Amino acid sequence: MKQYAAALALVLCLTLTACGVREDNRGQGLFQRTSGVEEDAVLLTVDGREVPAWRYFYWLERCCGRLREQYRAAGLTLDWNAPVEGGTLADYVKDQALADTALYATVENWADFHGCALDEEDQAALEAAWAEKTAEYGGEKAYLQALAEMGLDRARMEELTGVGRLYAKLYSLYCQEGSALAPEPEALEAFAVEQGRITVDQLFFAAGEDREAARQRAAEAFARLNAAEDLAAEFAVLAAEVPEEFDTFALGDGALEETLEAAAQALEAGQCSGILETGEGLSILFRVEADKSGVEEEYFDHLLQEAAENAAVQLTEAYQALDPADFSAGLVRAG
């Protein structure tokens, strides 16, 4: 299963605004009519959690719909057998829907393991969301019709939305220091480095034809830094004075030569290196205080995605026999 651009697919179930309302009402049997599979039958398991067919079909319908729309907008004919990396377009949407399904099941598995469950506050929130959406659609009948076009009813919609609330509870637990889900600082730091969120500033004094003059300039800059009350501010002043000698690098991106990279990795945030001499010249490095806004949530989503991708997924014969092209064509005919 592939990781998608969005950190989580959970958000879309909180709004359910992607589909318009058609005049017909296809009812709750939409997926069974287009697949021939009983909607409440177990289609697959994720780390032992049984997943009913309708949940997978919900994601498959969305993946097929997006692909049809992309081809329509481009003025191209959709060929489900067209080759893509890893198979065909049909394989692609089937795998994407499976990844979304596994992600939701993994959230539920994590919630069970960590004792997170929906409570009265969550149930009240679901009631309020229902009331808001029915008002938005002009009444319950119209909203139910819109849900039916996605193969959902109220219970199914609230089941999916409930997973979003479980996700929020898990993230809250993850943010609690010392909890079973709290990340190790070292792991979070390593992830921030991988994402290019930790940077190092460099003052570089090119040796050119006069290495001794470069050493003198580096020594003068280093003396000013040593005397500074605010190291970051003084480093910025030096950088502004001679901008051609200043640069910023992300740790771990390979842009710094090996010796300088090792020195940068050894620095603490807000710390300055000594004068580092290489063949090209002399450098002074400053480890910038990392802007980790959003890194904690990104790392949580990374862990969740990783768990979903590595989950033990057991597929039934009905899943194996499923043809996304036939399924999509059936949805189009039903519309």
Side-chain angles (χ1 to χ4, degrees):
M1 293 177 289
K2 299 177 181 178
Q3 183 172 346
Y4 304 108
L8 283 174
L10 295 165
V11 178
L12 67 89
C13 283
L14 302 179
T15 56
L16 292 172
T17 58
C19 294
V21 179
R22 300 186 182 98
E23 293 183 359
D24 64 305
N25 188 334
R26 296 181 291 189
Q28 298 176 22
L30 168 64
F31 295 144
Q32 185 171 351
R33 294 199 303 275
T34 53
S35 69
V37 178
E38 172 58 45
E39 295 184 3
D40 289 323
V42 175
L43 192 67
L44 57 103
T45 63
V46 179
D47 284 337
R49 176 176 291 276
E50 295 182 340
V51 179
W54 71 263
R55 285 181 65 159
Y56 175 79
F57 290 142
Y58 169 75
W59 294 112
L60 184 60
E61 186 274 337
R62 297 188 68 85
C63 291
C64 289
R66 285 196 297 267
L67 197 60
R68 288 196 307 269
E69 177 57 27
Q70 288 168 2
Y71 271 72
R72 185 203 64 77
L76 300 174
T77 300
L78 175 56
D79 177 6
W80 291 101
N81 294 316
V84 295
E85 184 180 355
T88 64
L89 279 176
D91 297 325
Y92 170 75
V93 295
K94 200 170 181 179
D95 288 346
Q96 286 227 339
L98 182 59
D100 287 332
T101 304
L103 181 62
Y104 267 60
T106 298
V107 171
E108 293 170 301
N109 284 336
W110 276 25
D112 286 347
F113 182 81
H114 291 286
C116 297
L118 300 182
D119 53 24
E120 292 183 0
E121 181 180 346
D122 295 306
Q123 295 300 333
L126 291 176
E127 290 284 346
W130 179 259
E132 180 180 347
K133 296 302 294 185
T134 54
E136 181 181 323
Y137 277 83
E140 185 171 287
K141 182 178 179 180
Y143 185 36
L144 286 171
Q145 181 179 339
L147 291 176
E149 294 187 14
M150 293 182 281
L152 303 177
D153 57 15
R154 178 173 182 174
R156 290 177 177 180
M157 183 277 289
E158 291 186 341
E159 182 176 322
L160 291 172
T161 307
V163 179
R165 298 195 68 83
L166 290 176
Y167 168 87
K169 287 178 178 291
L170 287 167
Y171 182 67
S172 178
L173 181 63
Y174 163 89
C175 292
Q176 293 177 22
E177 186 176 352
S179 76
L181 267 177
E184 293 292 333
E186 296 81 8
L188 190 60
E189 179 87 356
F191 179 76
V193 169
E194 290 174 7
Q195 300 303 305
R197 301 294 289 272
I198 297 181
T199 59
V200 59
D201 288 341
Q202 178 195 38
L203 286 174
F204 177 68
F205 307 91
E209 297 181 356
D210 191 347
R211 181 173 288 270
E212 195 55 42
R215 288 196 183 101
Q216 182 61 34
R217 296 200 311 275
E220 291 171 359
F222 188 66
R224 286 176 57 177
L225 290 168
N226 274 335
E229 293 183 5
D230 187 333
L231 189 58
E234 186 61 27
F235 204 96
V237 170
L238 286 165
E241 289 177 358
V242 193
E244 66 272 14
E245 295 179 341
F246 173 77
D247 209 343
T248 297
F249 300 89
L251 288 187
D253 68 357
L256 280 171
E257 61 178 275
E258 188 175 340
T259 301
L260 297 179
E261 177 71 28
Q265 293 280 3
L267 294 174
E268 298 291 336
Q271 187 177 29
C272 186
S273 74
I275 299 173
L276 306 168
E277 188 163 353
T278 61
E280 297 297 320
L282 299 96
S283 296
I284 301 174
L285 303 178
F286 176 73
R287 174 78 173 267
V288 180
E289 291 282 355
D291 176 13
K292 292 186 179 179
S293 58
V295 170
E296 290 84 357
E297 186 171 359
E298 289 175 17
Y299 185 54
F300 178 71
D301 288 346
H302 165 77
L303 293 175
L304 189 58
Q305 287 275 6
E306 188 175 57
E309 290 168 3
N310 294 327
V313 178
Q314 299 293 324
L315 305 172
T316 63
E317 290 183 3
Y319 176 90
Q320 301 286 11
L322 182 64
D323 185 343
D326 291 343
F327 179 77
S328 178
L331 290 172
V332 173
R333 287 193 300 271

